[in-house]
Amino acid sequence: SAALATNEGKGNFWLSKARLPRLTLEGFARGVLAAASPDDLSRVLARLDMPPGIALGQSIGNFTISNGNLVFSDLAPPVDGLTVTIAPQMDMAAGQIKVSTTVAIKGKPDLPAVHIDYGGDPAALTVRNGTSALAAKLGYEAANAHINSLCEE
């Protein structure tokens, strides 16, 4: 592993059938925008971490290796209504990977992006979801709309 920690280099990669099996984005933008209650939003956010996941399609990019850290150029799979950025990297000496994912709803710059990070041993990745900013923003908007409707009555 000491030899891996000193690796240096750069090159190109080509992915043909890569997928993230526990990142399901189908219907996410519609679900978020249609959520009428905190429970609706909770259901939409919970579906993010479920199969079938997302196919990354064919991706071509660059990679660099510095001090044994392998960093790939960002991947941007096409998903209706969303801007998705996936940033994979690996600590070759430790055998650990990290995949940082950002999901933003197109045309809604006022809504915070969702950040989902996968990390650890490739056979047992841990997942950390960063959905709280989006949930808080939409929860505030729903509560505000409810209060406004009560004031109009």
Side-chain angles (χ1 to χ4, degrees):
S1 80
L4 290 175
T6 62
N7 279 348
E8 302 283 333
K10 60 183 176 178
N12 300 313
F13 69 86
W14 176 66
L15 299 174
S16 63
K17 294 183 181 180
R19 74 181 298 107
L20 291 175
R22 297 204 53 97
L23 178 63
T24 300
L25 298 173
E26 185 66 37
F28 179 71
R30 282 188 313 277
V32 167
L33 297 175
S37 72
D39 288 339
D40 291 345
L41 183 59
S42 292
R43 282 189 287 277
V44 170
L45 294 175
R47 282 194 303 259
L48 280 174
D49 188 30
M50 300 176 110
I54 181 175
L56 303 180
Q58 295 216 6
S59 299
I60 298 171
N62 304 310
F63 66 84
T64 58
I65 303 172
S66 178
N67 295 322
N69 291 308
L70 173 63
V71 179
F72 294 89
S73 56
D74 291 351
L75 307 173
V79 180
D80 287 340
L82 299 174
T83 300
V84 180
T85 304
I86 301 170
Q89 50 188 296
M90 179 178 191
D91 180 336
M92 295 168 47
Q96 302 286 302
I97 66 172
K98 179 181 178 188
V99 179
S100 298
T101 305
T102 302
V103 179
I105 297 176
K106 288 182 181 174
K108 297 296 280 181
D110 59 316
L111 292 180
V114 169
H115 301 279
I116 304 166
D117 293 326
Y118 303 86
D121 184 295
L125 293 177
T126 59
V127 179
R128 190 177 74 213
N129 289 333
T131 58
S132 58
L134 178 63
K137 169 84 170 162
L138 293 173
Y140 170 79
E141 288 178 357
N144 197 30
H146 180 69
I147 290 169
N148 286 340
S149 71
L150 291 176
C151 292
E152 292 173 359
E153 292 179 0

